[in-house]
Amino acid sequence: MNWFDSHCHLDFDAFDDDREAVIKSALDKGVSHIFVPGVSRDNWQKIENLVQVHPMLCAGVGIHPYFLDTYQQQDLDLLYNYAQKGWVKAIGECGIDGFLAATTRFSVEQQQSIFEAQIDIANQTNKPLIVHHRKSHHLILQSFKRCNPKNGGIIHAFSGSLTDAQHYIALGFKLGCGGTITYERAAKTRNVFNQLDLQHIVLETDSPDMPLAGFQGQVNKPERVELVGRCLADVKGLDVAVVAEQTSTNAKTLLSVS
Ligand SMILES: [Zn+2]
């Protein structure tokens, strides 16, 4: 079985001491691909360096709402230049965070305009989007209506309603299924994933964040994508091998990797 972790922040400082060991351990446990989203200008070169030495890694570049502290207008020009590089498979992680708006100098309107600029870049460079959402499905769908993303993408850590899911699927998006479903209390999200066809789902860990049930308080690792996949197979009553195969194919096709 081969697993594809479609969302893993391997470039983050949390992995500076053991990154090589984490990658090797993931490979040993059947993870064939890891996608690393880029969250700010400060990370893009580090990610490029990583992708160049590890054939199992693929990556994107984006400006994440959590990392707007150092944001400058010219970051969008730099993003556009990076987006034309061969190793860049997607634009993101980008999006809108409805919680964050209360605590940052960036309003929801400003987040939305930076997000829409990135949708435009994805369209100009023919890339899919990796989308962060929190209390913001209505705003993200509004931006999609305005900017019309042409190459689909992934709604990272999807936790909306079945109706939200159907809207995204109609626009060519896959739904990211992560550690949330390993918690008994996530009945609503489990129920939505149970109702979705497997062809619309990709797996992710969001390492080093979003620890799985049983691993609370620990640094999350890409090797645990298998546990997410096993949980999804359980929820949907499907064979684990079928889940591994189909979700990997979904991610490879969307991100244009072999
Ligand atoms: Zn992320």
Side-chain angles (χ1 to χ4, degrees), residues 1-8 10 20-36 54-58 203-207 220-230 244-245 247-248 251-252 258:
M1 263 183 289
N2 286 320
W3 298 95
F4 195 131
D5 183 355
S6 69
H7 200 109
C8 172
L10 257 185
E20 295 304 316
V22 166
I23 292 171
K24 182 170 186 310
S25 176
L27 269 169
D28 289 347
K29 294 194 168 137
V31 180
S32 59
H33 295 75
I34 298 174
F35 177 86
V36 184
H54 292 288
M56 63 139 14
L57 302 184
C58 54
L203 302 177
E204 58 170 61
T205 63
D206 200 22
S207 305
N220 198 6
K221 295 177 181 175
E223 67 193 45
R224 296 189 187 137
V225 68
E226 178 186 357
L227 299 177
V228 176
R230 286 186 181 277
E245 167 76 29
T247 54
S248 292
K252 285 181 195 170
S258 50

Side-chain angles (χ1 to χ4, degrees), residues 78-134:
L78 187 61
L79 180 68
Y80 180 81
N81 292 340
Y82 265 96
Q84 319 217 30
K85 298 187 179 210
W87 62 269
V88 172
K89 302 299 183 188
I91 301 302
E93 180 173 359
C94 54
I96 302 170
D97 194 299
F99 273 134
L100 197 64
T103 58
T104 153
R105 66 191 170 99
F106 286 88
S107 65
V108 162
E109 289 73 22
Q110 287 168 311
Q111 286 189 45
Q112 190 165 26
S113 105
I114 296 167
F115 177 48
E116 291 182 3
Q118 295 181 82
I119 301 175
D120 290 342
I121 291 173
N123 281 344
Q124 287 157 14
T125 57
N126 267 316
K127 313 275 179 188
L129 288 156
I130 309 297
V131 179
H132 170 93
H133 71 82
R134 206 161 54 138

Side-chain angles (χ1 to χ4, degrees), residues 27 67 99 102 110 114 135 140 143 160 175 177 188 191-192 203 208 244 254:
L27 269 169
F67 298 85
F99 273 134
Q110 287 168 311
I114 296 167
K135 296 261 176 227
I140 285 167
S143 291
L175 304 165
C177 174
K188 184 191 130 207
N191 185 38
V192 171
L203 302 177
L254 183 85

Side-chain angles (χ1 to χ4, degrees), residues 3 14 16 20 30 50 61 76 85 87 106 143 159 173 177 183 193 233 256:
W3 298 95
D16 278 355
E20 295 304 316
L50 276 175
V61 286
L76 291 169
K85 298 187 179 210
W87 62 269
F106 286 88
S143 291
S159 64
F173 282 78
C177 174
Y183 290 87
F193 276 109
S256 303

Side-chain angles (χ1 to χ4, degrees), residues 133 136-138 140-141 144 152-177 188-202 236:
H133 71 82
S136 57
H137 288 303
H138 58 298
I140 285 167
L141 287 163
F144 284 174
I154 296 171
I155 307 299
H156 156 56
F158 180 75
S159 64
S161 66
L162 185 60
T163 309
D164 291 328
Q166 285 160 342
H167 283 137
Y168 290 125
I169 289 167
L171 293 167
F173 282 78
K174 306 287 178 203
L175 304 165
C177 174
K188 184 191 130 207
T189 302
R190 284 182 172 189
N191 185 38
V192 171
F193 276 109
N194 184 28
Q195 292 177 76
L196 294 173
D197 192 293
L198 197 57
Q199 64 175 321
H200 304 306
I201 303 172
V202 294
K236 296 183 76 62

